[in-house]
Amino acid sequence: MTAEPVPTAGDSPAAESRWPVPPRQGYTVDDLFNLPDLPPHTELIDGSLVFVSPQRKFHSLAMYLLESGMRATVPETLRVRREMAVVLSPGTVPEPDICVVRAEADKDGRQTRYEAEDVVLAVEVVSPDSQERDRDTKPHKYARAGIPHFWRVEMSGDEDRPVVYVYELDPTTMVYAVTGIHHDQLKLSVPFQVDIDLTGIDHL
């Protein structure tokens, strides 16, 4: 399915730059990867395109802190990936800030997406414009797609340090249950051994 072009009134630059009209059934995975000139990191949620706003410095630093800490201990059977699309359904393709995927899901340097079954862990760093999606919409969809682990990262306290909310999937109900809230140190044994000093963000 492709989007229908917007009718233009004359040859004005403003008319030429308007977005296409969404199809009645919403956009699909194919649309997301084939529509021209979409902004970087555009997501697809329930058939609607979601554009990313400029991020706070906290968002960038928290991603770097977690990514580098995870890469230090990730086993050979897994890979840590940053800002890669994950196909959950034909109409939903979010882009977790960080995800951990099975090594066999890696293909080549031209790869643009992973499937939900490839993903072991999805991580979202909450931003002011994405609070509802990161706290509610995405976790529910990750869980329904069977992704076994989810972390939500929030900025907290006077020093703007990360707090990591850790969730694990209940395979019977397909709902996440919180297994820990980590303030200064993120120390876990699943989905692999992790030991990250969250106060280290002060020195980045």
Side-chain angles (χ1 to χ4, degrees), residues 49-198:
L49 298 175
V50 178
F51 305 125
V52 177
S53 300
Q55 302 291 346
R56 297 179 297 184
K57 182 178 75 172
F58 169 81
H59 192 278
S60 176
L61 295 181
M63 286 174 63
Y64 175 81
L65 180 70
L66 292 173
E67 181 188 15
S68 57
M70 293 161 72
R71 287 187 183 279
T73 57
V74 68
E76 285 296 318
T77 55
L78 300 174
R79 299 287 185 269
V80 179
R81 296 291 177 254
R82 177 171 173 157
E83 297 173 313
M84 286 289 291
V86 175
V87 178
L88 304 184
S89 72
T92 298
V93 188
E95 187 180 281
D97 289 314
I98 303 171
C99 63
V100 175
V101 301
R102 295 178 175 85
E104 60 268 23
D106 259 0
K107 296 171 184 174
D108 55 43
R110 294 177 292 275
Q111 187 169 354
T112 59
R113 72 196 84 172
Y114 294 102
E115 302 297 322
E117 58 264 29
D118 301 330
V119 181
V120 174
L121 165 68
V123 182
E124 295 288 356
V125 180
V126 177
S127 297
D129 72 306
S130 67
Q131 288 182 4
E132 183 173 352
R133 291 193 303 275
D134 292 342
R135 292 172 178 171
D136 184 41
T137 305
K138 287 186 180 181
H140 280 92
K141 292 184 178 300
Y142 291 147
R144 295 302 300 174
I147 295 175
H149 300 276
F150 172 70
W151 299 353
R152 190 182 85 243
V153 185
E154 304 259 3
M155 186 173 72
S156 179
D158 295 335
E159 296 176 309
D160 294 342
R161 287 177 176 167
V163 173
V164 182
Y165 296 78
V166 174
Y167 298 84
E168 189 166 342
L169 184 66
D170 181 333
T172 300
T173 62
M174 301 301 285
V175 172
Y176 285 128
V178 64
T179 60
I181 302 173
H182 303 261
H183 292 265
D184 295 327
Q185 196 80 13
L186 179 63
K187 191 167 185 177
L188 303 169
S189 60
V190 291
F192 57 94
Q193 294 288 337
V194 174
D195 191 353
I196 301 173
D197 177 9
L198 298 176

